[in-house]
Amino acid sequence: VQLQASGGGLVQAGGSLTLSCAASGSISSINRMGWYRQAPGKRRELVAAITSIGSTDYVDSVKGRYTISRDNDKNTVYLQMNSLKPEDTAAYYCNADLRGQRSAWRSYWGQGTLVTVSS
């Protein structure tokens, strides 16, 4: 099982980006999926999460600007980021709590995708 993230890049302040993260491999079930970010010199923080039935949660700093969604048929989670600010600059990591067909529930991480917002 692996998570593959994509969609990062360089954008001007006020711009938008959409991140995607697809889970692949022998997957039986996926529960919560989320996006975390880590800026240089800072701790990794949860940005947004979504459950298997679509309940969402956001850190206060992105409420109203970011939208998390998922496609359960594609085992993919998305993060639509609007009105980006320089302080949103960070490496973004996707995370999923899932069960493999021959393994127990555990948390998986994708590789980071870098988002850079210029002022």
Side-chain angles (χ1 to χ4, degrees), residues 43-74:
R43 299 171 66 175
R44 188 174 295 189
E45 67 171 350
L46 175 64
V47 175
I50 184 168
T51 68
S52 59
I53 59 171
S55 297
T56 59
D57 191 24
Y58 299 90
V59 67
D60 286 345
S61 61
V62 308
K63 286 181 179 177
R65 300 189 297 121
Y66 288 16
T67 302
I68 189 170
S69 61
R70 63 191 283 173
D71 184 332
N72 290 331
D73 290 336
K74 297 181 179 180

Side-chain angles (χ1 to χ4, degrees), residues 16-52:
S16 299
L17 282 174
T18 300
L19 306 182
S20 300
C21 177
S24 62
S26 299
I27 297 169
S28 176
S29 184
I30 303 178
N31 191 6
R32 177 178 170 276
M33 303 183 82
W35 289 94
Y36 291 71
R37 67 185 178 187
Q38 186 168 20
K42 295 189 176 182
R43 299 171 66 175
R44 188 174 295 189
E45 67 171 350
L46 175 64
V47 175
I50 184 168
T51 68
S52 59

Side-chain angles (χ1 to χ4, degrees), residues 70-88:
R70 63 191 283 173
D71 184 332
N72 290 331
D73 290 336
K74 297 181 179 180
N75 291 334
T76 299
V77 62
Y78 306 94
L79 187 67
Q80 173 68 44
M81 305 182 294
N82 299 325
S83 302
L84 283 162
K85 305 175 181 180
E87 51 264 41
D88 295 318

Side-chain angles (χ1 to χ4, degrees), residues 1 4 6 22 29-30:
V1 175
Q4 182 68 44
S6 61
S29 184
I30 303 178

